[in-house]
Amino acid sequence: MSAPDDFDWSSEGRGTDLVRSIERLLAELSDKRQDAMRAELDLLATLSDKVGLVAAEQVCSGENIDIEGLHGIQDILLFLAIEHPNLINRIEVQASMSRRHGGQNWSTFQFENDGKPWMLESEVARADFLAETLSVLELPKHRKHVADWYETVRTHAITGEETTFTHATIYVEERAESELGFGASDTLERQVVAKVLEVGIACDPKSRLVEICARGGKKMRDQFSAVFSRNFVPHSRPPLEVPRRDVRLHLLKSPPDFEIFPSDGIARVEVSSLDFGDGSGGIARFEKRGEGETIYGFLDRRFGTASPLRGGGWTILSATFRIILAAEEGKRQRALTVTLRLPNTTTSPNTTESDRQFIFALLERWGLLALPAEDVDVLETGN
């Protein structure tokens, strides 16, 4: 559909004049063309919310597309639909993944911080990853498929820090479904409608995190994680799943009383670093140095009432703990390190699955993790 040169795109008030003008344009089209255009406009309408806006900003930042001068999500989506129509699918997928985040179809995996390189740019690795992913799905070989690789830029809601994520969305032709519809003779006919299955991968080599969004349950996502590990991080140990739980860092405004039982086998627990934000983009980090003083004692001694623990306007953004385990007979003492970041990130590199479960049990006991959110399943079905 094309608008005449003198078409008035301005919108006053609630935009009813613009809506009527677009309706008149649509009325000039054939019935089938009208249906197609309205379907496209309906898609844009489903993306016209806060989640869609964030998705559009992330995708456009990854593609270096400037949308700063545009007014609101509707303006952005219309601009992209005209100038960059291929990005609408990516925004739809990105918004869908955001809505599923933390639900039944989402898993996050943490690789150890061993400094070993990832092979995300390797075309051979990408091809093998796609082939193995299709094998996990156990679909017939004749099904059509395609992988869309792209980057997004996420901005942390509190710190403003930008992180570049590499994405792969794998589209696979799923088994077609039979539906009723009106045929050419205006009578009801049984029609075959093709369906599309999606598997979404997002990863950040810097933090060594991989997010997987796919139907099929935890075992299926574990298989996708193993496929990712074999092809892109072959020299590192397989990653561990990291549940997304809101962290309660405000409890660390005063020295915490870590409850420890003899059966835990813990010699001591210490807060080794605290990151603070002042709400305007300013960030301050303090790390514990030396054995004779805690980080709380240092901040009180050095800053007194001006300490960010006491003064107003400061928020704890992240905290790192060292859980020093009691030495076993014939072995050296070892420490488990865990970092909590607002709003819901818990990382503990170089740990085993049993260590991870032990750490999460301690964090729950100390009240630093909120209760798990109820699983939400909001899968969309592509046509």
Side-chain angles (χ1 to χ4, degrees):
M1 181 181 73
S2 59
D5 294 338
D6 60 352
F7 184 82
D8 185 7
W9 289 99
S10 62
S11 176
E12 301 293 338
R14 296 178 62 186
T16 54
D17 291 340
L18 176 59
V19 171
R20 293 193 186 99
S21 298
I22 294 176
E23 287 286 357
R24 286 194 291 270
L25 278 179
L26 291 173
E28 297 175 2
L29 301 176
S30 66
D31 291 342
K32 288 188 177 181
R33 185 62 175 153
Q34 277 195 54
D35 289 342
M37 287 301 303
R38 291 183 189 279
E40 290 297 317
L41 292 173
D42 285 344
L43 170 61
L44 299 185
T46 63
L47 299 175
S48 298
D49 58 10
K50 185 176 181 180
V51 175
L53 176 60
V54 172
E57 290 173 340
Q58 293 175 349
V59 171
C60 289
S61 294
E63 295 290 328
N64 294 317
I65 296 175
D66 184 13
I67 56 175
E68 287 297 323
L70 302 176
H71 304 288
I73 182 59
Q74 292 88 353
D75 200 5
I76 293 171
L77 290 173
L78 284 172
F79 163 73
L80 294 175
I82 295 170
E83 300 294 335
H84 305 278
N86 61 307
L87 296 189
I88 296 298
N89 285 343
R90 292 180 179 176
I91 294 172
E92 181 186 15
V93 169
Q94 190 70 6
S96 175
M97 291 178 70
S98 296
R99 293 188 178 102
R100 301 178 203 178
H101 197 285
Q104 294 176 343
N105 302 293
W106 187 280
S107 294
T108 301
F109 297 87
Q110 173 76 62
F111 283 87
E112 63 180 330
N113 188 21
D114 57 9
K116 295 178 180 178
W118 287 19
M119 301 169 57
L120 291 175
E121 301 301 323
S122 169
E123 293 298 330
V124 173
R126 289 187 177 188
D128 291 344
F129 171 73
L130 175 58
E132 288 194 53
T133 298
L134 297 176
S135 177
V136 170
L137 293 172
E138 296 183 344
L139 293 172
K141 293 184 178 181
H142 69 271
R143 298 284 171 83
K144 299 176 182 177
H145 57 268
V146 65
D148 183 24
W149 288 87
Y150 59 96
E151 290 185 345
T152 66
V153 178
R154 299 184 189 178
T155 302
H156 195 284
I158 298 173
T159 66
E161 181 183 6
E162 292 186 345
T163 304
T164 299
F165 273 75
T166 299
H167 292 256
T169 304
I170 299 172
Y171 300 91
V172 182
E173 183 183 29
E174 201 174 10
R175 179 176 296 179
E177 295 182 3
S178 179
E179 297 179 357
L180 281 176
F182 284 99
S185 60
D186 293 334
T187 58
L188 282 176
E189 297 178 358
R190 184 63 63 177
Q191 300 176 350
V192 176
V193 180
K195 299 292 181 178
V196 174
L197 174 67
E198 298 170 7
V199 176
I201 308 289
C203 60
D204 172 26
K206 184 177 180 181
S207 64
R208 307 186 79 79
L209 286 173
V210 176
E211 300 171 349
I212 298 176
C213 186
R215 286 180 289 176
K218 180 182 182 303
K219 289 184 178 180
M220 183 75 80
R221 293 190 296 279
D222 286 344
Q223 291 183 67
F224 291 137
S225 170
V227 170
F228 182 94
S229 179
R230 282 197 297 272
N231 289 284
F232 297 119
V233 200
H235 304 299
S236 298
R237 290 191 300 181
L240 298 176
E241 184 174 0
V242 182
R244 286 284 179 171
R245 299 272 294 277
D246 287 346
V247 298
R248 306 174 69 202
L249 296 182
H250 62 280
L251 298 179
L252 300 178
K253 277 283 191 174
S254 57
D257 181 17
F258 294 117
E259 185 180 21
I260 299 173
F261 302 134
S263 59
D264 294 330
I266 295 175
R268 68 181 188 278
V269 181
E270 60 186 34
V271 179
S272 55
S273 72
L274 291 170
D275 289 6
F276 298 88
D278 68 354
S280 63
I283 298 176
R285 164 171 287 188
F286 298 93
E287 297 184 359
K288 176 185 178 298
R289 297 294 182 185
E291 295 295 332
E293 186 178 44
T294 68
I295 194 170
Y296 293 91
F298 166 77
L299 289 172
D300 276 346
R301 176 176 59 81
R302 181 64 179 82
F303 299 102
T305 57
S307 164
L309 290 168
R310 297 189 188 184
W314 290 96
T315 300
I316 300 179
L317 303 178
S318 70
T320 298
F321 304 83
R322 295 181 72 241
I323 303 170
I324 294 87
L325 303 179
E328 298 179 6
E329 186 176 354
K331 295 183 180 180
R332 290 185 177 183
Q333 193 176 61
R334 70 186 184 104
L336 301 176
T337 301
V338 57
T339 298
L340 305 181
R341 294 186 182 88
L342 288 181
N344 57 13
T345 301
T346 305
T347 57
S348 183
N350 303 312
T351 56
T352 64
E353 178 63 21
S354 60
D355 285 341
R356 186 190 67 80
Q357 293 180 6
F358 178 56
I359 289 170
F360 271 83
L362 291 173
L363 294 175
E364 289 177 348
R365 181 194 304 171
W366 299 333
L368 293 171
L369 291 181
L371 293 175
E374 183 178 351
D375 280 345
V376 177
D377 187 357
V378 290
L379 274 172
E380 296 85 0
T381 301
N383 291 327

